[in-house]
Amino acid sequence: MPPFIVTTPETTPKSIIVVEKTDFDSWLASQPDTYKNWIEAHDFEPEDGKFLLLPGTDEGIDAVVYVKDSDWDVWSLADLPAQLPVGLYALDAELDAREATDLATGWSLGTYNFDRYKKNKKNYATLVLPDAADENKIDRTVKAMTLVRDLINTPAGDLGPTALEAAASQVAGEFEAEQTNIIGDDLLTYHFPMVHAVGRAAADAPRLIDITWGDKDAPKVTLVGKGVCFDSGGLDIKSAAGMLMMKKDMGGAATVLGLAYMIMAANLPVRLRVLIPAVENAISGNAFHPGDVLISRNGKTVEIGNTDAEGRLILADALSAADEESPDLLIDMATLTGAARVAVGTEIAATFTDDDALFEAIEESARREKDPVWRMPLWDEYRHLIDSKIADINNSGSGGGYAGAITAGLFLKEFVENAASWVHFDIMAYNVRSRPGRPIGGEAFAMRALFSLIEKRYSS
Ligand code: BES
Ligand code: ZN
Ligand code: ZN
């Protein structure tokens, strides 16, 4: 059972009475004077999502009134478990399966709190699972979101490439997926030269985590996630302010692991593969240098304009490996550029693909799941911005910062040739402000949208 949800209540729950805003006055007119006076005394104005505790006949609260003026979504009730007094609550509302599932999912997500390093753990209000809800779906969504958030929130000191590999093994092990890890100098033997170059200066060895699961004849869905456990910037070192949040630079890896968890838990009819290049972009005597030329897995040569554009290097080798088996759908997720944050801000996943139909399907799922994406152009006429005089391509644009997220996407595109469809997500992986169900800290951008897309696309 997901956190703070129960199926068989041991005490009588308090009702959350859901009242449509337009019906509020007539509802109030039919209530006892204690409620009328209470609501008036609290100057309660009925507005969407507002709620009020109603007085009990003896001690404690009797019920909660919740005003609704828009469609239910996953976040509608997500503030309640933290705002209501700890206790047991049940919804008094007509809900279909989707609504019941969404509301209970949001409730449980509203109890997320990264408390690994805290002595005092918080407590929350508990919801009785609404009848129509799909318990398994709620459970896998909440587990995946929690996994992703915990991984991103865990500082680099406790989550290097070895620990990220262990987290991946835990997920793979739960579903008896196959896993291989190519570690340290073996990356050279097995032709992941850019993963090696980026990660070799760190004390914790770089690695390529490769997980496969499902019927080998089913459509191939491959997920690639940027697993930079800490991004110091390398020799083109970041500023203190720029470095402060860089424990989250494995957010793409965390998110594809969460998505993989959902796909396997739901037993979707796909052959899933997850590729995570896991490294720390560190500084040491053997660090790669600005000006170096690397030979990538697919043979293209890459001039290093900036060692801080490391994500696209490790992703390039992983995307090449993914592309070699011509997947039906290839998805990569990465905290790739500051420029994507300038373009769409911190709360939308910047989405790049040449496949119009795929994007439309993603957007539809994103809207339904309240997990927003926005399309960005893979504008081929900007390809010259990453030309190199001495190699096939440069890893940092010469556009003086213009179109930085687009040139990063164009760089990745050079390493995808055979996949039937490819989509790249440049994500924040972090909430910089708190919203209901989404506290400040690590966040799984576009994961629920992608699960819904994959479920639809391959439903048998
Ligand atoms: N991990 C960063 C991108 C990033 C920064 C994501 C801040 C989210 C918030 C990435 O490795 C990086 O440093 N990119 C550089 C690329 C540049 C050197 C071409 C950037 O965006 O400035
Ligand atoms: Zn960087
Ligand atoms: Zn980075």
Side-chain angles (χ1 to χ4, degrees):
M1 187 59 59
F4 298 94
I5 305 282
V6 292
T7 35
T8 41
E10 279 167 10
T11 55
T12 313
K14 285 157 182 143
S15 270
I16 300 174
I17 306 161
V18 175
V19 182
E20 295 280 346
K21 183 179 168 182
T22 47
D23 299 341
F24 189 81
D25 290 343
S26 57
W27 171 80
L28 189 57
S30 71
Q31 297 303 304
D33 283 346
T34 38
Y35 280 11
K36 283 184 191 145
N37 296 341
W38 183 267
I39 285 168
E40 204 170 300
H42 281 82
D43 277 334
F44 184 76
E45 292 294 331
E47 271 168 42
D48 190 33
K50 269 183 77 177
F51 57 91
L52 185 68
L53 307 177
L54 299 173
T57 37
D58 28 50
E59 93 278 357
I61 60 159
D62 198 24
V64 176
V65 61
Y66 177 97
V67 181
K68 174 175 179 289
D69 190 31
S70 56
D71 290 342
W72 289 122
D73 67 51
V74 63
W75 307 118
S76 301
L77 301 183
D79 231 4
L80 270 59
Q83 299 295 329
L84 292 175
V86 171
L88 192 60
Y89 298 83
L91 279 168
D92 180 0
E94 296 246 323
L95 302 171
D96 64 24
R98 227 196 94 78
E99 293 169 333
T101 303
D102 271 358
L103 292 179
T105 301
W107 184 288
S108 196
L109 289 175
T111 70
Y112 177 82
N113 180 28
F114 183 61
D115 57 11
R116 174 167 170 167
Y117 305 98
K118 284 262 189 204
K119 271 219 180 74
N120 300 322
K121 316 278 178 202
K122 273 200 206 156
N123 202 358
Y124 295 91
T126 298
L127 181 71
V128 178
L129 187 75
D131 287 337
D134 178 342
E135 189 186 327
N136 289 334
K137 185 174 167 73
I138 299 166
D139 197 57
R140 67 174 176 255
T141 307
V142 173
K143 280 214 177 95
M145 294 285 288
T146 304
L147 170 72
V148 177
R149 290 170 171 183
D150 281 349
L151 286 173
I152 296 169
N153 287 331
T154 303
D158 286 326
L159 196 110
T162 305
L164 184 55
E165 178 198 311
S169 301
Q170 186 119 31
V171 173
E174 201 169 324
F175 302 99
E176 292 174 11
E178 276 177 38
Q179 182 174 355
T180 55
N181 308 298
I182 302 170
I183 303 172
D185 288 345
D186 280 355
L187 289 166
L188 298 175
T189 314
Y190 293 97
H191 307 296
F192 292 93
M194 299 208 293
V195 181
H196 185 271
V198 172
R200 73 187 178 212
D204 197 352
R207 62 206 65 208
L208 192 274
I209 301 162
D210 187 349
I211 296 169
T212 52
W213 172 89
D215 177 358
K216 66 174 178 27
D217 297 323
K220 290 183 170 58
V221 174
T222 300
L223 313 177
V224 176
K226 172 176 172 181
V228 176
C229 294
F230 191 75
D231 184 7
S232 71
L235 285 168
D236 284 355
I237 190 166
K238 284 186 182 294
S239 66
M243 210 185 291
L244 189 58
M245 296 261 282
M246 284 301 127
K247 68 172 181 180
K248 77 171 173 84
D249 213 19
M250 33 55 71
T255 309
V256 299
L257 267 183
L259 179 55
Y261 179 92
M262 292 178 82
I263 291 169
M264 295 189 286
N267 203 17
L268 295 190
V270 298
R271 202 302 304 264
L272 176 70
R273 187 174 184 196
V274 182
L275 286 163
I276 296 174
V279 303
E280 177 180 342
N281 189 17
I283 297 173
S284 184
N286 63 343
F288 74 128
H289 314 87
D292 280 356
V293 175
L294 307 180
I295 305 174
S296 67
R297 180 179 178 84
N298 83 354
K300 286 187 183 164
T301 53
V302 181
E303 182 185 9
I304 304 305
N306 194 314
T307 62
D308 199 7
E310 83 298 339
R312 66 195 73 182
L313 301 172
I314 64 170
L315 287 173
D317 277 358
L319 283 169
S320 295
D323 195 61
E324 284 157 21
E325 58 169 13
S326 306
D328 182 66
L329 178 59
L330 176 55
I331 300 172
D332 80 75
M333 307 190 85
T335 49
L336 201 61
T337 67
R341 307 302 38 103
V342 175
V344 298
T346 59
E347 295 174 7
I348 299 171
T351 306
F352 299 78
T353 181
D354 284 328
D355 184 335
D356 295 347
L358 175 65
F359 181 75
E360 272 168 36
I362 292 171
E363 189 176 41
E364 192 191 317
S365 292
R367 278 185 201 282
R368 201 153 43 83
E369 301 295 330
K370 293 279 169 191
D371 194 8
V373 301
W374 203 267
R375 192 175 189 180
M376 300 268 287
L378 283 165
W379 192 253
D380 288 320
E381 287 181 39
Y382 290 160
R383 172 62 181 76
H384 70 93
L385 293 172
I386 45 174
D387 282 349
S388 163
K389 285 211 166 60
I390 63 165
D392 295 326
I393 195 167
N394 193 295
N395 81 326
S396 82
S398 62
Y402 289 135
I406 299 170
T407 50
L410 289 174
F411 183 95
L412 298 180
K413 188 176 160 177
E414 295 280 323
F415 300 88
V416 180
E417 283 166 6
N418 305 315
S421 290
W422 166 62
V423 58
H424 155 59
F425 290 88
D426 195 333
I427 55 173
M428 179 66 179
Y430 213 86
N431 295 319
V432 296
R433 65 160 176 155
S434 145
R435 286 174 292 166
R438 289 153 288 179
I440 289 172
E443 188 58 284
F445 280 61
M447 179 179 74
R448 290 173 303 105
L450 283 172
F451 175 79
S452 149
L453 165 94
I454 294 166
E455 188 180 39
K456 259 206 201 152
R457 185 172 166 117
Y458 300 105
S459 61
S460 38

